[in-house]
């Protein structure tokens, strides 16, 4: 890439964008303010002496500005906010100072870019995240309902909750007080509505996947034990292009499954996992890792998922079963807690996901 003549740091908000423009030859710094429209900011950058490089923080305004800048021939870095260095003693925060910080870090090459998805991929990711949001709402709503019943002395002891038997039991619960019964009716209605929304979103995701940019990746990931369609779609939504990682260790770090570290002098201390990156992807991997407690096997359902996939993908999936099962056995023999073992297995599973999606 040619050396940039003009560098631009953009502090982006919904209704206003502040631009700090640095001339790399003269060192002159200027500030401009435009409206929140993407076209205005892109036009400002495109009109500067070229080549031009711009940067802004990833945030709620999305990636439309980055795509518009690229369309107009302006190289753009969408920076990861958590990776932007900030002085601990700096207590003054303004739009101009934020824009200036971005442009100076861009000049120094200290910004960590995030991947910019295409419009179709971003729309699919929004759909997957909408389903995840509904899942969380449903879990909270069910929790509120169960605690309401517990306060009134009602406990369901006839099997698992939220089965048909449990719903039939709920229909016959009478709390005695009209206000409490109205609360129970409202909670049950909220659960039913959320279940309907969740199921509808899942149907939409499954229907759109075959023609989506993730079709091949999802098919490969489904070869792995514990990863079916919705889990694979969630991983694709949060990780995106698996091939941008040169090594398996990089994807493990990206989803926050590597240990934190504090090393001073001759002392090296490893702590809890970093939990950086997507919590959604991390949860999916940890949940899938629990399936590897059981001995390696290829049942009817997994065989159907692997049907038509490359032999190399099936071989990687079988290798994952063997290795992760050994991990479970080895750590259980050392009396490790199962939750810790699941995280360790999830870290290795992330590496197998990386390997299986890179098959040509």
């Amino acid at each position: 890439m040619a050396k940039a003549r003009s560098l631009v740091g953009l502090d982006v908000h919904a209704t206003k964008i502040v631009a700090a423009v640095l001339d790399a030859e003269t060192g002159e710094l200027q500030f401009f303010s435009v409206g929140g429209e993407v076209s205005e900011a892109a036009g400002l950058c495109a009109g500067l002496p070229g080549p031009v490089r711009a940067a802004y923080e990833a945030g709620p305004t999305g990636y439309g500005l980055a795509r518009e800048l690229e369309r107009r021939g302006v190289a753009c870095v969408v920076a990861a906010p958590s990776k932007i260095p900030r002085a601990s003693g700096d207590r003054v925060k303004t739009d101009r100072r934020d824009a200036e910080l971005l442009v100076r870090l861009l000049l120094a090459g200290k910004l960590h870019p995030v991947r910019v998805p295409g419009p179709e991929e971003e729309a699919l990711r929004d759909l997957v995240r909408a389903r995840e949001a509904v899942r969380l709402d449903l879990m909270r709503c069910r929790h509120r309902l169960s605690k309401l019943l517990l306060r009134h002395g009602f406990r369901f002891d006839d099997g698992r909750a939220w089965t048909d038997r449990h719903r039939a039991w709920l229909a016959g619960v009478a709390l005695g007080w009209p206000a409490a019964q109205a609360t129970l009716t409202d909670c049950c209605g909220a659960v039913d509505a959320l279940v309907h929304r969740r199921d509808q979103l899942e149907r939409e995701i499954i229907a759109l996947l075959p023609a989506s940019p993730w079709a091949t990746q999802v098919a490969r990931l489904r070869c792995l034990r514990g990863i079916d369609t919705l889990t694979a779609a969630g991983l694709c939504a949060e990780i995106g292009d698996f091939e941008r990682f040169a090594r398996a260790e990089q994807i493990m770090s990206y989803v926050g499954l590597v240990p934190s570290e504090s090393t001073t002098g001759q002392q090296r201390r490893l702590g809890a996992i970093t939990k950086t990156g997507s919590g959604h992807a991390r949860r999916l991997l940890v949940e899938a890792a629990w399936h590897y407690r059981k001995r390696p096997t290829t049942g009817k359902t997994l065989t159907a998922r692997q049907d038509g996939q490359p032999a190399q993908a099936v071989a990687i999936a079988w290798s994952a079963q063997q290795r992760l099962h050994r991990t479970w056995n080895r750590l259980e023999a050392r009396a490790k807690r199962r939750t810790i073992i699941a995280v360790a297995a999830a870290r290795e599973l992330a590496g197998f996901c990386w390997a299986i999606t890179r098959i040509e």
Side-chain angles (χ1 to χ4, degrees):
M1 181 183 295
K3 184 177 179 181
R5 164 70 188 277
S6 300
L7 299 165
V8 188
L10 299 167
D11 189 62
V12 181
H13 299 278
T15 58
K16 184 180 73 169
I17 298 175
V18 175
V21 179
L22 180 65
D23 191 310
E25 292 186 359
T26 65
E28 181 184 7
L29 180 66
Q30 295 178 290
F31 292 94
F32 300 91
S33 180
V34 297
E37 293 295 328
V38 165
S39 57
E40 288 188 56
L44 170 66
C45 295
L48 297 171
V52 182
R53 290 193 72 200
Y56 70 95
E57 288 186 42
T61 55
Y63 302 101
L65 177 56
R67 288 193 284 263
E68 180 64 20
L69 287 169
E70 292 290 347
R71 190 184 70 81
R72 298 198 186 201
V74 177
C76 180
V77 174
V78 182
S82 62
K83 298 285 188 179
I84 294 176
R86 300 183 188 277
S88 59
D90 191 355
R91 294 293 186 269
V92 179
K93 185 182 186 303
T94 66
D95 294 346
R96 286 170 63 102
R97 287 171 68 92
D98 288 346
E100 181 179 354
L101 176 63
L102 281 172
V103 76
R104 295 199 183 280
L105 291 173
L106 179 63
L107 176 64
K110 298 294 184 180
L111 292 177
H112 294 260
V114 301
R115 177 176 173 270
V116 178
E120 182 183 4
E121 185 180 345
E122 188 175 11
L124 281 168
R125 189 181 67 176
D126 288 341
L127 181 62
V128 171
R129 288 182 174 178
R131 184 257 178 189
E132 175 67 5
V134 170
R135 185 195 69 83
L136 290 172
D137 291 343
L138 176 60
M139 181 178 66
R140 295 187 185 105
C141 191
R142 285 174 169 175
H143 182 81
R144 287 194 296 269
L145 192 151
S146 65
K147 296 304 172 282
L148 170 67
L149 293 173
L150 190 60
R151 289 195 299 273
H152 287 269
F154 286 87
R155 293 175 179 83
F156 179 72
D157 300 319
D158 189 17
R160 297 180 61 184
W162 307 112
T163 59
D164 290 341
R165 182 180 298 174
H166 180 244
R167 293 310 304 265
W169 174 80
L170 274 177
V173 170
L175 298 184
W177 297 98
Q181 193 66 35
T183 305
L184 176 62
T185 302
D186 178 73
C187 285
C188 290
V191 168
D192 290 339
L194 288 167
V195 168
H196 175 76
R197 288 175 56 195
R198 182 200 60 187
D199 293 345
Q200 179 61 30
L201 288 169
E202 289 178 355
R203 286 192 292 268
E204 291 287 346
I205 292 169
I206 292 171
L208 290 171
L209 280 177
S212 74
W214 302 335
T216 302
Q217 290 181 337
V218 167
R220 299 285 194 272
L221 289 169
R222 293 178 74 244
C223 294
L224 293 163
R225 190 177 193 176
I227 298 181
D228 207 343
T229 306
L230 293 172
T231 300
L235 291 173
C236 290
E238 300 301 333
I239 296 173
D241 183 10
F242 286 80
E243 294 189 0
R244 62 197 170 106
F245 300 99
R247 304 188 313 278
E249 293 82 358
Q250 292 177 339
I251 197 170
M252 298 174 191
S253 176
Y254 181 78
V255 295
L257 287 170
V258 297
S260 56
E261 181 176 345
S262 177
T263 299
T264 303
Q266 300 302 316
Q267 283 191 334
R268 181 171 184 258
R269 295 180 180 176
L270 298 179
I273 58 171
T274 60
K275 293 188 179 180
T276 57
S278 169
H280 182 195
R282 190 163 54 252
R283 179 187 65 80
L284 293 174
L285 288 167
V286 172
E287 287 183 355
W290 283 91
H291 290 76
Y292 293 87
R293 289 180 58 205
K294 300 178 181 179
R295 64 178 180 83
T297 184
T298 304
K300 184 177 179 181
T301 302
L302 185 57
T303 301
R305 297 208 305 259
Q306 293 176 349
D307 185 42
Q309 296 305 310
Q312 188 179 355
V314 177
I316 290 173
W318 180 246
S319 177
Q321 286 206 52
Q322 293 178 311
R323 174 167 178 148
L324 270 63
H325 184 64
R326 287 198 301 269
T327 297
W328 271 97
N329 288 340
R330 184 180 73 254
L331 296 180
E332 281 188 329
R334 293 166 55 185
K336 294 288 186 181
R337 292 201 312 271
R338 286 180 175 176
T339 51
I340 293 177
I341 300 173
V343 172
R347 179 166 56 248
E348 296 184 8
L349 179 58
F352 282 105
C353 291
W354 171 83
I356 207 168
T357 54
R358 291 170 60 91
I359 297 172
E360 296 294 335

